[in-house]
Coordinates of all heavy atoms in Angstrom, one line a residue:
M68 N 22.2 -49.7 -53.1 CA 21.2 -49.4 -52.0 C 21.7 -48.1 -51.3 O 22.9 -48.1 -50.9 CB 21.0 -50.5 -51.1 CG 20.0 -50.2 -50.0 SD 19.5 -51.6 -49.0 CE 18.5 -52.5 -50.3
A69 N 20.9 -47.3 -51.0 CA 21.2 -46.0 -50.3 C 21.4 -46.4 -48.8 O 21.0 -47.4 -48.2 CB 20.0 -45.1 -50.3
L70 N 22.2 -45.6 -48.1 CA 22.6 -45.7 -46.6 C 22.1 -44.4 -45.8 O 22.1 -43.5 -46.5 CB 24.1 -46.0 -46.5 CG 24.5 -47.3 -47.2 CD1 26.1 -47.2 -47.2 CD2 24.1 -48.5 -46.4
A71 N 22.0 -44.8 -44.5 CA 21.6 -43.6 -43.7 C 22.6 -43.7 -42.4 O 22.9 -44.8 -42.0 CB 20.1 -43.7 -43.3
R72 N 23.0 -42.5 -42.1 CA 23.9 -42.4 -40.8 C 22.8 -41.7 -39.9 O 22.4 -40.5 -40.1 CB 25.0 -41.6 -41.2 CG 26.1 -41.4 -39.8 CD 27.2 -40.6 -40.4 NE 28.3 -40.8 -39.5 CZ 28.6 -39.9 -38.5 NH1 27.8 -38.9 -38.2 NH2 29.6 -40.2 -37.7
V73 N 22.6 -42.5 -38.7 CA 21.6 -41.9 -37.8 C 22.4 -41.6 -36.6 O 23.0 -42.5 -35.9 CB 20.5 -43.0 -37.5 CG1 19.5 -42.3 -36.6 CG2 19.8 -43.3 -38.9
V74 N 22.3 -40.4 -36.1 CA 23.1 -39.9 -35.1 C 22.3 -39.3 -33.9 O 21.4 -38.4 -34.2 CB 24.2 -38.9 -35.4 CG1 25.1 -38.6 -34.3 CG2 25.0 -39.4 -36.6
S75 N 22.3 -39.7 -32.6 CA 21.6 -39.2 -31.6 C 22.3 -38.2 -30.8 O 23.6 -38.5 -30.6 CB 20.8 -40.2 -30.7 OG 21.9 -41.0 -30.1
F76 N 21.9 -37.2 -30.3 CA 22.4 -36.2 -29.5 C 21.7 -35.8 -28.3 O 20.4 -35.8 -28.3 CB 22.7 -34.8 -30.2 CG 23.6 -35.0 -31.4 CD1 23.1 -35.3 -32.6 CD2 25.0 -34.8 -31.2 CE1 23.9 -35.4 -33.8 CE2 25.8 -34.9 -32.4 CZ 25.2 -35.2 -33.6
D77 N 22.3 -35.6 -27.2 CA 21.6 -35.1 -25.8 C 22.2 -33.6 -25.6 O 23.3 -33.2 -26.2 CB 22.2 -35.9 -24.6 CG 21.3 -37.1 -24.6 OD1 20.4 -37.4 -25.3 OD2 21.9 -38.1 -23.8
G78 N 21.4 -32.8 -24.9 CA 21.9 -31.6 -24.6 C 21.7 -30.6 -25.7 O 22.5 -29.6 -25.9
V79 N 20.6 -30.7 -26.5 CA 20.3 -29.9 -27.6 C 19.1 -29.0 -27.3 O 18.0 -29.3 -27.2 CB 20.0 -30.7 -28.8 CG1 20.0 -29.8 -30.1 CG2 21.0 -31.7 -29.2
N80 N 19.5 -27.7 -27.1 CA 18.5 -26.8 -26.7 C 17.9 -26.0 -27.9 O 18.5 -26.1 -29.1 CB 18.8 -25.7 -25.6 CG 20.0 -24.9 -26.1 OD1 20.1 -24.5 -27.3 ND2 20.9 -24.5 -25.2
R81 N 16.8 -25.3 -27.9 CA 16.1 -24.7 -28.9 C 17.0 -23.6 -29.6 O 17.0 -23.5 -30.8 CB 14.9 -23.9 -28.3 CG 13.7 -24.9 -28.1 CD 12.5 -24.0 -27.6 NE 11.4 -24.9 -27.4 CZ 10.9 -25.4 -26.4 NH1 11.5 -25.0 -25.2 NH2 9.9 -26.2 -26.2
D82 N 17.9 -22.9 -28.8 CA 18.7 -22.0 -29.3 C 19.7 -22.6 -30.4 O 20.0 -22.1 -31.4 CB 19.5 -21.2 -28.3 CG 18.7 -20.3 -27.4 OD1 17.6 -20.0 -27.9 OD2 19.1 -20.0 -26.3
R83 N 20.3 -23.8 -30.0 CA 21.1 -24.5 -30.9 C 20.5 -24.9 -32.1 O 21.0 -24.8 -33.3 CB 21.8 -25.7 -30.2 CG 22.8 -26.4 -31.1 CD 24.0 -25.5 -31.4 NE 25.0 -26.2 -32.3 CZ 25.3 -25.8 -33.4 NH1 24.9 -24.7 -33.9 NH2 26.0 -26.7 -34.3
I84 N 19.2 -25.4 -32.0 CA 18.5 -25.9 -33.2 C 18.3 -24.6 -34.2 O 18.5 -24.7 -35.4 CB 17.2 -26.4 -32.8 CG1 17.4 -27.9 -32.2 CG2 16.3 -26.6 -34.1 CD1 18.1 -28.8 -33.1
E85 N 17.9 -23.4 -33.5 CA 17.7 -22.2 -34.3 C 19.1 -21.8 -35.1 O 19.0 -21.4 -36.3 CB 17.2 -21.2 -33.6 CG 16.7 -20.0 -34.4 CD 15.7 -20.3 -35.5 OE1 14.8 -21.1 -35.3 OE2 15.9 -19.8 -36.6
E86 N 20.2 -22.0 -34.4 CA 21.5 -21.7 -34.9 C 21.7 -22.6 -36.2 O 22.2 -22.2 -37.3 CB 22.7 -21.8 -34.1 CG 22.7 -20.8 -33.0 CD 23.7 -21.3 -31.9 OE1 24.5 -22.1 -32.1 OE2 23.8 -20.6 -30.9
M87 N 21.4 -23.9 -36.0 CA 21.6 -24.8 -37.1 C 20.7 -24.5 -38.3 O 21.1 -24.7 -39.5 CB 21.4 -26.3 -36.6 CG 22.6 -26.7 -35.7 SD 22.2 -28.3 -35.1 CE 22.7 -29.2 -36.6
R88 N 19.4 -24.1 -37.9 CA 18.5 -23.9 -39.1 C 19.1 -22.6 -39.9 O 19.0 -22.7 -41.2 CB 17.1 -23.3 -38.5 CG 16.3 -24.6 -38.1 CD 14.9 -24.0 -37.6 NE 14.2 -25.2 -37.1 CZ 13.4 -24.9 -36.0 NH1 13.2 -23.8 -35.4 NH2 12.6 -26.1 -35.6
E89 N 19.5 -21.6 -39.2 CA 20.2 -20.4 -39.8 C 21.3 -20.9 -40.7 O 21.5 -20.4 -41.9 CB 20.6 -19.4 -39.0 CG 20.9 -18.1 -39.4 CD 19.7 -17.4 -40.3 OE1 18.6 -17.7 -40.1 OE2 20.2 -16.7 -41.3
E90 N 22.3 -21.7 -40.2 CA 23.4 -22.1 -40.9 C 23.0 -22.8 -42.2 O 23.5 -22.7 -43.3 CB 24.3 -23.1 -40.0 CG 25.0 -22.4 -39.0 CD 25.5 -23.3 -38.0 OE1 25.5 -24.6 -38.2 OE2 26.0 -22.9 -36.9
M91 N 22.0 -23.6 -42.1 CA 21.4 -24.4 -43.2 C 20.8 -23.5 -44.3 O 21.0 -23.6 -45.5 CB 20.4 -25.6 -42.8 CG 21.2 -26.7 -42.1 SD 22.5 -27.4 -42.8 CE 21.6 -28.6 -43.8
R92 N 20.0 -22.5 -43.8 CA 19.3 -21.6 -44.8 C 20.4 -20.9 -45.5 O 20.3 -20.4 -46.7 CB 18.6 -20.6 -44.0 CG 17.2 -21.1 -43.6 CD 16.3 -20.0 -43.1 NE 15.5 -20.5 -42.1 CZ 15.5 -20.3 -40.7 NH1 16.3 -19.4 -40.2 NH2 14.7 -21.0 -40.0
E93 N 21.6 -20.5 -44.9 CA 22.7 -19.8 -45.6 C 23.5 -20.8 -46.4 O 24.5 -20.3 -47.2 CB 23.6 -19.3 -44.5 CG 22.9 -18.0 -43.8 CD 23.8 -17.5 -42.6 OE1 24.9 -18.0 -42.4 OE2 23.2 -16.7 -41.8
G94 N 23.1 -22.0 -46.5 CA 23.8 -22.9 -47.4 C 25.2 -23.5 -46.8 O 25.8 -24.1 -47.6
E95 N 25.2 -23.3 -45.6 CA 26.5 -23.8 -45.0 C 26.4 -25.4 -44.8 O 25.4 -25.8 -44.3 CB 26.9 -23.2 -43.6 CG 27.3 -21.7 -43.8 CD 27.6 -21.2 -42.4 OE1 28.1 -21.9 -41.4 OE2 27.3 -20.0 -42.2
R96 N 27.4 -26.1 -45.3 CA 27.5 -27.6 -44.9 C 29.0 -27.9 -44.8 O 29.8 -27.3 -45.4 CB 26.6 -28.3 -45.9 CG 27.5 -28.7 -47.2 CD 26.6 -29.2 -48.3 NE 26.7 -30.7 -48.4 CZ 25.8 -31.4 -49.1 NH1 24.9 -30.8 -49.8 NH2 25.8 -32.7 -49.0
P97 N 29.2 -28.9 -44.0 CA 30.6 -29.3 -43.8 C 31.3 -29.6 -45.2 O 30.6 -30.3 -46.0 CB 30.6 -30.5 -42.9 CG 29.1 -30.4 -42.2 CD 28.3 -29.7 -43.1
E98 N 32.4 -29.1 -45.3 CA 33.2 -29.4 -46.6 C 33.4 -30.9 -46.7 O 33.8 -31.6 -45.9 CB 34.5 -28.7 -46.6 CG 35.2 -28.7 -47.8 CD 36.5 -27.9 -47.9 OE1 36.5 -26.9 -47.1 OE2 37.4 -28.3 -48.6
G99 N 33.1 -31.4 -47.9 CA 33.5 -32.8 -48.2 C 32.3 -33.8 -47.8 O 32.5 -35.0 -47.7
L100 N 31.2 -33.3 -47.4 CA 30.0 -34.1 -46.9 C 29.1 -34.4 -48.2 O 28.4 -33.5 -48.6 CB 29.2 -33.3 -45.9 CG 28.1 -34.2 -45.3 CD1 28.6 -35.3 -44.5 CD2 27.2 -33.2 -44.4
P101 N 29.1 -35.7 -48.7 CA 28.4 -36.0 -49.9 C 27.0 -36.6 -49.6 O 26.5 -37.3 -50.4 CB 29.4 -37.2 -50.5 CG 29.9 -37.7 -49.2 CD 30.1 -36.6 -48.4
A102 N 26.3 -36.0 -48.6 CA 25.1 -36.5 -48.2 C 24.2 -35.9 -49.2 O 24.2 -34.9 -49.8 CB 24.6 -36.0 -46.8
T103 N 23.0 -36.8 -49.6 CA 21.9 -36.3 -50.4 C 20.8 -35.6 -49.7 O 20.0 -34.7 -50.3 CB 21.4 -37.5 -51.3 OG1 20.8 -38.5 -50.3 CG2 22.4 -38.2 -52.1
E104 N 20.7 -36.0 -48.5 CA 19.6 -35.2 -47.7 C 19.9 -35.4 -46.2 O 20.7 -36.2 -45.8 CB 18.3 -36.1 -47.9 CG 17.0 -35.4 -47.4 CD 15.8 -36.3 -47.6 OE1 15.9 -37.3 -48.4 OE2 14.8 -35.9 -47.0
I105 N 19.5 -34.4 -45.5 CA 19.6 -34.4 -43.9 C 18.2 -34.2 -43.3 O 17.5 -33.4 -43.9 CB 20.7 -33.4 -43.6 CG1 20.8 -33.5 -42.0 CG2 20.2 -32.0 -43.9 CD1 22.0 -32.7 -41.5
V106 N 17.9 -35.0 -42.4 CA 16.7 -34.7 -41.7 C 17.2 -34.5 -40.1 O 17.9 -35.4 -39.5 CB 15.7 -35.9 -41.7 CG1 14.5 -35.7 -40.8 CG2 15.4 -36.2 -43.1
L107 N 16.6 -33.5 -39.5 CA 17.0 -33.2 -38.0 C 15.6 -33.1 -37.3 O 14.8 -32.4 -37.5 CB 17.7 -31.9 -38.0 CG 17.9 -31.3 -36.6 CD1 18.7 -32.2 -35.8 CD2 18.5 -29.9 -36.6
L108 N 15.7 -34.2 -36.2 CA 14.5 -34.3 -35.5 C 14.9 -33.6 -34.0 O 15.9 -33.9 -33.7 CB 14.0 -35.6 -35.2 CG 13.7 -36.4 -36.6 CD1 13.3 -37.9 -36.3 CD2 12.5 -35.7 -37.4
H109 N 14.0 -33.0 -33.4 CA 14.2 -32.3 -32.1 C 13.2 -32.5 -31.1 O 12.0 -32.2 -31.4 CB 14.6 -30.9 -32.2 CG 15.1 -30.2 -31.1 ND1 14.5 -29.0 -30.7 CD2 16.1 -30.5 -30.3 CE1 15.1 -28.7 -29.5 NE2 16.1 -29.5 -29.2
D110 N 13.5 -33.0 -30.0 CA 12.6 -33.1 -28.8 C 13.0 -31.9 -27.8 O 13.9 -32.1 -27.0 CB 12.6 -34.5 -28.2 CG 11.8 -34.5 -27.0 OD1 11.3 -33.5 -26.3 OD2 11.4 -35.6 -26.5
A111 N 12.4 -30.8 -27.9 CA 12.8 -29.6 -27.1 C 12.7 -29.9 -25.6 O 13.6 -29.4 -24.9 CB 12.1 -28.4 -27.5
D112 N 11.6 -30.4 -25.2 CA 11.5 -30.8 -23.7 C 12.6 -31.8 -23.2 O 13.2 -31.4 -22.1 CB 10.1 -31.4 -23.4 CG 8.9 -30.4 -23.8 OD1 9.2 -29.3 -23.7 OD2 7.9 -31.0 -24.1
A113 N 13.0 -32.7 -24.0 CA 14.0 -33.6 -23.5 C 15.4 -33.1 -23.8 O 16.5 -33.7 -23.4 CB 13.7 -34.9 -23.9
E114 N 15.6 -32.1 -24.7 CA 16.7 -31.6 -25.2 C 17.5 -32.6 -26.0 O 18.7 -32.8 -25.6 CB 17.6 -30.9 -24.2 CG 17.1 -29.6 -23.7 CD 18.1 -28.7 -22.9 OE1 19.0 -29.2 -22.4 OE2 17.6 -27.5 -22.8
K115 N 16.9 -33.4 -26.8 CA 17.5 -34.5 -27.5 C 17.2 -34.2 -29.1 O 16.2 -33.6 -29.4 CB 16.8 -35.9 -27.2 CG 17.2 -36.3 -25.7 CD 16.5 -37.6 -25.5 CE 16.8 -38.1 -24.1 NZ 18.0 -38.8 -23.9
S116 N 18.1 -34.7 -29.9 CA 17.9 -34.7 -31.3 C 18.4 -35.9 -32.0 O 19.2 -36.6 -31.4 CB 18.5 -33.4 -31.9 OG 19.9 -33.5 -31.9
L117 N 17.9 -36.1 -33.2 CA 18.3 -37.2 -33.9 C 18.5 -36.7 -35.4 O 17.6 -36.0 -36.0 CB 17.1 -38.3 -34.0 CG 17.3 -39.6 -34.6 CD1 18.4 -40.4 -33.8 CD2 16.1 -40.5 -34.7
V118 N 19.7 -36.9 -35.9 CA 20.0 -36.5 -37.2 C 20.2 -37.7 -38.1 O 20.9 -38.6 -37.8 CB 21.4 -35.7 -37.3 CG1 21.8 -35.2 -38.6 CG2 21.3 -34.5 -36.2
I119 N 19.5 -37.6 -39.3 CA 19.6 -38.7 -40.3 C 20.1 -38.2 -41.7 O 19.6 -37.2 -42.1 CB 18.1 -39.3 -40.6 CG1 17.5 -39.7 -39.2 CG2 18.3 -40.5 -41.4 CD1 16.0 -40.0 -39.4
L120 N 21.3 -38.6 -42.1 CA 21.9 -38.2 -43.2 C 21.8 -39.4 -44.2 O 22.1 -40.6 -43.9 CB 23.4 -37.8 -43.0 CG 23.6 -36.7 -42.2 CD1 24.3 -37.0 -40.9 CD2 24.3 -35.7 -42.9
F121 N 21.5 -39.2 -45.5 CA 21.3 -40.1 -46.5 C 22.3 -40.0 -47.5 O 22.8 -39.0 -47.9 CB 19.9 -40.0 -47.3 CG 18.7 -40.2 -46.4 CD1 18.1 -39.1 -45.7 CD2 18.2 -41.4 -46.2 CE1 17.0 -39.3 -44.9 CE2 17.1 -41.7 -45.3 CZ 16.6 -40.6 -44.7
F122 N 22.9 -41.2 -48.0 CA 24.0 -41.4 -48.9 C 23.7 -42.3 -49.9 O 22.9 -43.3 -49.7 CB 25.2 -41.8 -48.2 CG 25.7 -40.9 -47.2 CD1 25.3 -41.1 -45.7 CD2 26.5 -39.8 -47.3 CE1 25.6 -40.3 -44.7 CE2 26.7 -38.9 -46.3 CZ 26.2 -39.2 -45.1
D123 N 24.2 -42.1 -51.2 CA 23.8 -43.0 -52.4 C 24.7 -44.2 -52.4 O 24.3 -45.2 -52.9 CB 24.0 -42.3 -53.6 CG 22.9 -41.2 -53.9 OD1 21.8 -41.4 -53.4 OD2 23.2 -40.2 -54.6
T124 N 26.0 -44.2 -51.9 CA 26.9 -45.2 -52.0 C 27.6 -45.4 -50.8 O 27.7 -44.5 -49.8 CB 27.9 -45.0 -53.1 OG1 28.8 -43.9 -52.6 CG2 27.3 -44.6 -54.4
E125 N 28.1 -46.6 -50.6 CA 29.0 -47.0 -49.4 C 30.3 -46.0 -49.2 O 30.7 -45.5 -48.1 CB 29.6 -48.4 -49.6 CG 30.3 -48.9 -48.3 CD 29.6 -49.1 -47.0 OE1 28.5 -49.5 -47.1 OE2 30.1 -48.7 -46.0
D126 N 30.8 -45.7 -50.4 CA 32.0 -44.8 -50.4 C 31.6 -43.3 -50.0 O 32.4 -42.8 -49.2 CB 32.6 -44.7 -52.0 CG 33.9 -43.8 -51.9 OD1 34.7 -44.3 -51.0 OD2 34.0 -43.0 -52.8
D127 N 30.4 -42.8 -50.3 CA 30.0 -41.6 -49.9 C 29.8 -41.6 -48.3 O 30.1 -40.7 -47.7 CB 28.7 -41.2 -50.5 CG 28.8 -40.8 -51.9 OD1 30.0 -40.6 -52.3 OD2 27.7 -40.6 -52.6
Y128 N 29.3 -42.7 -47.9 CA 29.0 -42.9 -46.4 C 30.3 -42.8 -45.8 O 30.5 -42.2 -44.7 CB 28.2 -44.2 -46.1 CG 28.1 -44.3 -44.7 CD1 26.8 -43.9 -44.1 CD2 29.0 -44.9 -43.8 CE1 26.5 -44.3 -42.8 CE2 28.7 -45.1 -42.4 CZ 27.5 -44.7 -42.0 OH 27.3 -44.8 -40.7
R129 N 31.3 -43.7 -46.2 CA 32.6 -43.7 -45.6 C 33.4 -42.4 -45.5 O 33.8 -42.0 -44.5 CB 33.5 -44.7 -46.4 CG 34.5 -45.4 -45.5 CD 35.3 -46.5 -46.4 NE 34.9 -46.9 -47.6 CZ 34.0 -47.8 -48.0 NH1 33.6 -48.7 -47.1 NH2 33.8 -48.0 -49.2
R130 N 33.3 -41.6 -46.7 CA 33.9 -40.3 -46.7 C 33.3 -39.4 -45.7 O 33.8 -38.6 -45.0 CB 33.8 -39.7 -48.1 CG 34.7 -40.3 -49.1 CD 34.9 -39.6 -50.3 NE 33.8 -38.8 -50.9 CZ 33.1 -39.1 -51.7 NH1 33.2 -40.2 -52.4 NH2 32.0 -38.3 -52.2
A131 N 31.9 -39.4 -45.7 CA 31.1 -38.5 -44.7 C 31.4 -38.9 -43.2 O 31.6 -37.9 -42.5 CB 29.6 -38.6 -44.9
D132 N 31.5 -40.1 -42.9 CA 31.9 -40.6 -41.7 C 33.2 -40.1 -41.2 O 33.2 -39.5 -40.1 CB 31.8 -42.2 -41.7 CG 31.8 -42.7 -40.2 OD1 30.9 -42.3 -39.6 OD2 32.6 -43.5 -39.9
D133 N 34.1 -40.1 -42.1 CA 35.5 -39.5 -41.8 C 35.4 -37.9 -41.5 O 35.9 -37.4 -40.4 CB 36.4 -39.7 -42.9 CG 37.0 -41.1 -43.0 OD1 36.7 -41.9 -42.1 OD2 37.4 -41.5 -44.2
V134 N 34.6 -37.2 -42.4 CA 34.4 -35.7 -42.3 C 33.8 -35.5 -40.8 O 34.1 -34.6 -40.2 CB 33.7 -35.2 -43.5 CG1 33.2 -33.9 -43.1 CG2 34.4 -35.3 -44.6
L135 N 32.6 -36.1 -40.7 CA 31.8 -35.9 -39.5 C 32.4 -36.3 -38.2 O 32.3 -35.6 -37.1 CB 30.5 -36.6 -39.6 CG 29.6 -36.1 -40.7 CD1 28.4 -37.0 -41.1 CD2 29.1 -34.7 -40.4
N136 N 33.2 -37.4 -38.1 CA 34.0 -37.8 -37.0 C 35.2 -36.8 -36.6 O 35.4 -36.8 -35.4 CB 34.6 -39.2 -37.1 CG 33.5 -40.2 -37.0 OD1 32.4 -40.0 -36.3 ND2 33.8 -41.4 -37.6
A137 N 35.7 -36.1 -37.7 CA 36.6 -35.1 -37.4 C 36.2 -33.8 -37.0 O 37.0 -32.8 -36.7 CB 37.5 -35.0 -38.7
M138 N 34.9 -33.5 -37.0 CA 34.3 -32.2 -36.7 C 34.6 -31.9 -35.3 O 34.4 -32.7 -34.3 CB 32.7 -32.2 -36.9 CG 32.3 -32.2 -38.3 SD 30.5 -32.1 -38.4 CE 30.2 -30.5 -38.6
P139 N 34.9 -30.6 -34.9 CA 34.9 -30.1 -33.7 C 33.6 -30.3 -32.9 O 32.6 -30.0 -33.6 CB 35.3 -28.5 -33.6 CG 35.9 -28.5 -35.1 CD 35.2 -29.5 -36.0
A140 N 33.5 -30.5 -31.6 CA 32.3 -30.7 -30.9 C 31.4 -29.5 -30.9 O 30.1 -29.8 -31.0 CB 32.6 -31.1 -29.5
G141 N 32.0 -28.3 -31.0 CA 31.2 -27.1 -31.1 C 30.3 -27.0 -32.4 O 29.4 -26.2 -32.5
E142 N 30.5 -27.7 -33.4 CA 29.8 -27.8 -34.7 C 28.7 -28.8 -34.7 O 28.0 -28.8 -35.6 CB 30.8 -28.0 -35.8 CG 31.8 -26.7 -36.1 CD 32.7 -26.9 -37.1 OE1 32.3 -27.5 -38.2 OE2 33.8 -26.4 -37.1
T143 N 28.6 -29.5 -33.6 CA 27.6 -30.6 -33.6 C 26.3 -29.9 -32.8 O 26.4 -29.0 -32.1 CB 28.0 -31.9 -33.0 OG1 28.4 -31.6 -31.6 CG2 29.2 -32.5 -33.8
P144 N 25.2 -30.7 -33.0 CA 24.0 -30.2 -32.3 C 24.1 -30.2 -30.8 O 23.6 -29.3 -30.1 CB 22.8 -31.0 -32.7 CG 23.4 -31.6 -34.0 CD 24.8 -31.8 -33.8
G145 N 24.8 -31.2 -30.3 CA 25.0 -31.5 -28.8 C 26.0 -32.5 -28.5 O 26.9 -32.6 -29.4
R146 N 25.7 -33.3 -27.5 CA 26.7 -34.3 -27.2 C 26.2 -35.5 -27.8 O 25.1 -36.0 -27.5 CB 26.7 -34.5 -25.7 CG 27.8 -35.4 -25.1 CD 27.7 -35.7 -23.6 NE 26.6 -36.3 -23.1 CZ 25.5 -35.7 -22.6 NH1 25.5 -34.6 -22.4 NH2 24.5 -36.6 -22.2
R147 N 27.2 -36.1 -28.6 CA 26.7 -37.3 -29.5 C 26.7 -38.5 -28.5 O 27.6 -38.7 -27.8 CB 27.7 -37.4 -30.6 CG 27.4 -38.6 -31.5 CD 28.3 -38.6 -32.7 NE 29.7 -38.9 -32.3 CZ 30.7 -39.1 -33.1 NH1 30.4 -38.9 -34.4 NH2 31.8 -39.4 -32.7
T148 N 25.6 -39.1 -28.7 CA 25.4 -40.4 -27.8 C 25.3 -41.7 -28.6 O 25.6 -42.8 -28.1 CB 24.2 -40.3 -27.0 OG1 22.9 -40.1 -28.0 CG2 24.1 -39.1 -26.1
S149 N 25.1 -41.7 -29.9 CA 25.2 -42.8 -30.7 C 25.3 -42.5 -32.2 O 24.8 -41.5 -32.6 CB 24.0 -43.8 -30.5 OG 22.8 -43.3 -31.0
V150 N 26.0 -43.5 -32.9 CA 26.0 -43.4 -34.3 C 25.7 -44.7 -34.9 O 26.3 -45.7 -34.6 CB 27.3 -42.9 -34.8 CG1 27.4 -42.9 -36.4 CG2 27.8 -41.5 -34.4
T151 N 24.7 -44.8 -35.8 CA 24.3 -46.2 -36.3 C 24.2 -46.0 -37.9 O 23.7 -45.1 -38.3 CB 23.1 -46.6 -35.7 OG1 23.2 -46.6 -34.3 CG2 22.6 -48.0 -36.2
K152 N 24.6 -47.1 -38.5 CA 24.5 -47.2 -40.1 C 23.3 -48.1 -40.4 O 23.3 -49.2 -39.9 CB 25.8 -47.6 -40.7 CG 25.9 -47.8 -42.1 CD 27.3 -48.4 -42.5 CE 27.3 -49.0 -43.7 NZ 28.7 -49.5 -44.0
Y153 N 22.5 -47.5 -41.2 CA 21.3 -48.4 -41.8 C 21.4 -48.4 -43.2 O 21.7 -47.4 -43.9 CB 20.1 -47.7 -41.4 CG 19.8 -47.8 -39.8 CD1 20.2 -46.8 -39.0 CD2 19.2 -48.9 -39.4 CE1 19.9 -46.8 -37.7 CE2 18.9 -48.9 -37.9 CZ 19.3 -47.9 -37.1 OH 19.0 -47.8 -35.8
E154 N 20.9 -49.6 -43.9 CA 20.5 -49.6 -45.3 C 19.0 -49.0 -45.4 O 18.3 -49.2 -44.5 CB 20.5 -50.9 -45.7 CG 21.9 -51.6 -45.9 CD 21.7 -52.9 -46.5 OE1 20.7 -53.5 -46.8 OE2 22.8 -53.6 -46.5
V155 N 18.8 -48.1 -46.4 CA 17.5 -47.6 -46.5 C 16.6 -48.5 -47.2 O 17.0 -48.7 -48.5 CB 17.7 -46.2 -47.3 CG1 16.2 -45.6 -47.5 CG2 18.5 -45.3 -46.5
A156 N 15.8 -49.3 -46.5 CA 15.0 -50.3 -47.1 C 13.7 -49.8 -47.9 O 13.3 -50.4 -48.8 CB 14.5 -51.1 -46.0
L157 N 13.2 -48.7 -47.5 CA 12.2 -47.9 -48.2 C 12.2 -46.5 -47.8 O 12.4 -46.2 -46.8 CB 10.7 -48.6 -47.6 CG 9.5 -47.8 -48.1 CD1 9.4 -48.1 -49.6 CD2 8.3 -48.4 -47.4
R158 N 11.9 -45.7 -48.9 CA 11.9 -44.3 -48.8 C 10.8 -43.7 -49.8 O 11.0 -43.9 -51.0 CB 13.3 -43.8 -49.1 CG 13.4 -42.3 -48.9 CD 14.9 -42.0 -48.9 NE 15.3 -40.6 -49.0 CZ 16.4 -40.1 -49.3 NH1 17.3 -41.1 -49.6 NH2 16.6 -38.8 -49.1
T159 N 9.8 -43.2 -49.3 CA 8.6 -42.6 -50.1 C 8.0 -41.6 -49.4 O 8.0 -41.5 -48.1 CB 7.7 -43.8 -50.5 OG1 6.7 -43.3 -51.4 CG2 7.1 -44.5 -49.3
K160 N 7.4 -40.7 -50.1 CA 6.4 -39.7 -49.5 C 5.1 -40.2 -49.7 O 4.6 -40.8 -50.7 CB 6.7 -38.3 -50.3 CG 8.0 -37.7 -50.0 CD 8.0 -36.3 -50.6 CE 9.4 -35.8 -50.3 NZ 9.5 -34.5 -50.7
I161 N 4.1 -40.1 -48.8 CA 2.8 -40.5 -48.8 C 1.9 -39.4 -48.6 O 2.2 -38.4 -48.1 CB 2.6 -41.6 -47.7 CG1 2.9 -41.2 -46.3 CG2 3.4 -42.8 -48.1 CD1 2.5 -42.2 -45.3

């Protein structure tokens, strides 16, 4: 079963989101991050964001958790407020 790492951030302004979009367009991703997909949600008025990373296996999740926890704070969207691990119960496009 696939897993998701859901991380919430505070203090995320529009400029930081645009920087992250540009980094992703250029193909930059943290070295050693075995995520299959990333979703970034942003509430510009509240300066909050939610990042959802998907992984195929528990081992991939564990490796990514190590990589992401070791990242310098300047490489994250804002101030991390929570990290939660979920099993992906359903995933479909409608």
